[in-house]
Amino acid sequence: MENYAETITAERVRRVMNGYGDTAGTGGSFAYYKLGERLFDEEGNLNPCVSTDKIRQYLWFTETKGTTLEASSDEPYRLGVYENTAYYFCYQPDAVTTLNYDLLGTIRTRAEQYIIYADACVLPDDYLQQKNIIFKKIPRDITRL
């Protein structure tokens, strides 16, 4: 929207607060914020300009409504545990990640259920159900607010 917020909208709000002509102002103050990079590009894919940390924060919030990630040095993909569900975001900006037995071998956290984001999954559906694993494909299964 270019400078619209700064030049037009902000000026209108200032006039309401301070008054104009014969009309008294309402008083008060306001602030506005500039947004960062869009999480998704025009095609609906993850924007490569957005940091992995920002994507992780977004996922954690959309899944749990929580704001604090539970980072783990021995489990780099782990987002945290919420209501006995462990969340993992298996993402490499420059490589495809696949949910397979090797990747499952890196998971140390014990939980009743697992939600794992990755680019692909080669595990059989019956195995996923047996182990209470929900696979979510990147980026289509990321909730858009």
Side-chain angles (χ1 to χ4, degrees):
M1 302 241 1
E2 298 176 17
N3 293 344
Y4 189 83
E6 206 168 312
T7 57
I8 307 296
T9 305
E11 183 56 33
R12 287 180 180 168
V13 172
R14 277 189 206 93
R15 289 181 185 189
V16 168
M17 289 182 333
N18 299 331
Y20 55 94
D22 294 338
T23 305
T26 60
S29 65
F30 73 97
Y32 65 94
Y33 300 90
K34 292 188 179 189
L35 301 175
E37 292 284 337
R38 293 175 50 162
L39 184 63
F40 298 98
D41 64 16
E42 297 298 324
E43 289 81 38
N45 297 315
L46 288 175
N47 182 347
C49 298
V50 176
S51 72
T52 302
D53 286 340
K54 292 290 183 194
I55 299 168
R56 291 170 53 85
Q57 289 171 350
Y58 177 80
L59 279 177
W60 182 249
F61 181 79
T62 58
E63 290 283 2
T64 68
K65 303 302 181 239
T67 56
T68 305
L69 291 171
E70 300 171 8
S72 171
S73 60
D74 63 328
E75 290 183 288
Y77 294 135
R78 188 178 90 173
L79 298 175
V81 178
Y82 179 76
E83 295 184 353
N84 215 11
T85 299
Y87 294 87
Y88 289 84
F89 180 53
C90 306
Y91 174 73
Q92 297 292 326
D94 300 325
V96 172
T97 56
T98 302
L99 178 54
N100 55 25
Y101 294 111
D102 289 338
L103 192 139
L104 283 181
T106 67
I107 293 177
R108 307 270 184 260
T109 300
R110 298 289 176 226
E112 288 180 12
Q113 178 174 279
Y114 300 86
I115 295 180
I116 303 173
Y117 287 85
D119 293 302
C121 178
V122 295
L123 300 174
D125 287 339
D126 59 334
Y127 180 83
L128 295 173
Q129 289 176 355
Q130 178 187 12
K131 299 296 182 181
N132 293 323
I133 298 170
I134 297 172
F135 164 69
K136 293 191 176 184
K137 183 170 173 45
I138 299 170
R140 290 186 297 225
D141 289 343
I142 296 177
T143 305
R144 291 170 176 90
L145 294 177

